[in-house]
Amino acid sequence: MINMFLTKKEEQMCDGEFGETIRKSMDILVALGDIYGASKLVDITSAQVSGVSYKTIGQAGLEYLEDLASEEFEYSGINASLNPPGTDLDNWEALGFPKEFSIKQNQIVDAYGKLGISKTCTCTPYLVGNVPRFRDHVSWSESSAVAYVNSVIGARTNREGGPAALAAAIVGKTPLYGFHLDENRKANLIVNVNTELSGADWGALGYIVGKTVGGGVPYFKVQNSPNNNDLKTLGAALASSGSVALYHMD
C-alpha cells in the first residue's frame, strides 16, 4: 500500500502507463518514501549517481542498467552526473587494466548514457557544470558531493544510494523527507575553533568532528574565512569519519 500522496500523473507512472523503465524507477522512489515517511514526491533539478564501478555493482548491476536502457522512455531532462568508474575508460589497455573488467566497465557507463545520465565521471560534479541553485531539491549520492551541495551551495538532498539517485534522475522526482525539510537541517552540535586554520587543518577538523557527530549536523564557528576548496575538504572529511551530509559555517 502506498502511503504518500501521488498526483494523477505519478499514479500513471507507477501503473506503467509511461513504460517499464519509469515504472521500475517509481517503485524504488515510492518504496523509499514509504520507508522514511515522506508525504509526497518533489521535483528535482539535479542528480549525481553512484554505483558506477563494475567492481561495485557487478554483472547483476550491469544487467539491471541494460534492462532499464533497453526501452525507450521520456527522460526527465534534469542535469545528472556519474561518479568515477573502476578504470580509465579510454586508456585502460595501456594502463594494464584487465580486458574483461574494462569492457564491462565501459558497458556500464554506456548504459547510464542511454538512460540520460552524463558520461562525465566525477565525484565533484559542481566543478564540471552540474551546479544546482540555492534551495533546489536534488538527488545526489557521493558522500563528499552530498556534503558540498547541502552545505556550500545550499541545495537539498539526502545521502542517496545509487539506484535511488538513478531513479530520481529518470523521473525527475525524489521523496520529500530528511534534509529536504527545514526542520531536519538544523544543527545539533556547535563546534568552536579557537585558532586559525589553513590547508590540511580543514580536513583534520572534519575528521575529528565527524567521529563525534556521526550522522548529525555540526555548526562551525571559526576564526578565519575558508574558501570553497577548504569547505570541500572539510565536508569530505566529515563524510568519511562520520556520515555527515550537511554542516553549517558561521
Side-chain angles (χ1 to χ4, degrees):
M1 183 179 68
I2 298 174
N3 297 313
M4 287 193 303
F5 168 79
L6 297 179
T7 66
K8 180 64 175 178
K9 183 176 180 180
E10 289 167 352
E11 290 178 348
Q12 293 172 333
M13 295 164 79
C14 288
D15 291 338
E17 294 185 30
F18 292 84
E20 281 297 289
T21 298
I22 298 292
R23 184 192 66 76
K24 291 175 182 176
S25 299
M26 286 293 290
D27 281 351
I28 291 173
L29 298 175
V30 169
L32 191 64
D34 281 344
I35 289 170
Y36 288 103
S39 59
K40 63 179 181 177
L41 297 174
V42 63
D43 291 339
I44 62 172
T45 64
S46 170
Q48 192 267 340
V49 182
S50 62
V52 182
S53 173
Y54 182 64
K55 185 175 182 179
T56 303
I57 69 172
Q59 186 63 28
L62 171 58
E63 291 174 3
Y64 174 72
L65 293 171
E66 290 184 331
D67 180 59
L68 289 180
S70 66
E71 179 190 56
E72 288 190 11
F73 67 97
E74 184 179 351
Y75 178 68
S76 65
I78 68 164
N79 193 350
S81 308
L82 276 183
N83 231 27
T87 64
D88 184 303
L89 299 174
D90 299 319
N91 303 304
W92 58 265
E93 188 170 13
L95 294 171
F97 285 102
K99 180 177 180 180
E100 182 179 0
F101 183 96
S102 301
I103 290 172
K104 297 288 188 181
Q105 182 63 82
N106 273 276
Q107 289 173 344
I108 287 171
V109 174
D110 287 343
Y112 275 120
K114 292 175 183 176
L115 289 167
I117 314 300
S118 169
K119 291 163 63 174
T120 299
C121 299
T122 176
C123 59
T124 54
Y126 45 87
L127 298 180
V128 294
N130 189 352
V131 187
R133 296 170 298 179
F134 179 66
R135 296 185 70 87
D136 276 1
H137 294 285
V138 303
S139 182
W140 285 27
S141 53
E142 199 279 330
S143 58
S144 67
V146 166
Y148 191 93
V149 77
N150 268 325
S151 311
V152 182
I153 295 175
R156 299 180 171 219
T157 185
N158 294 308
R159 189 170 175 176
E160 301 289 2
L166 173 61
I170 288 172
V171 304
K173 300 174 183 289
T174 198
L176 185 65
Y177 75 95
F179 289 123
H180 292 281
L181 302 171
D182 286 344
E183 57 264 32
N184 296 323
R185 297 178 67 86
K186 296 177 181 178
N188 58 11
L189 176 71
I190 296 177
V191 181
N192 287 296
V193 181
N194 296 320
T195 187
E196 292 195 359
L197 302 174
S198 64
D201 295 342
W202 295 100
L205 174 65
Y207 179 78
I208 294 167
V209 173
K211 289 198 298 181
T212 301
V213 75
V217 182
Y219 185 108
F220 292 94
K221 294 184 176 182
V222 298
Q223 300 299 308
N224 54 310
S225 297
N227 59 37
N228 278 9
N229 192 60
D230 297 329
L231 296 172
K232 175 169 70 73
T233 301
L234 175 65
L238 286 165
S240 296
S241 65
S243 55
V244 174
L246 166 66
Y247 66 88
H248 299 289
M249 183 69 66
D250 191 46

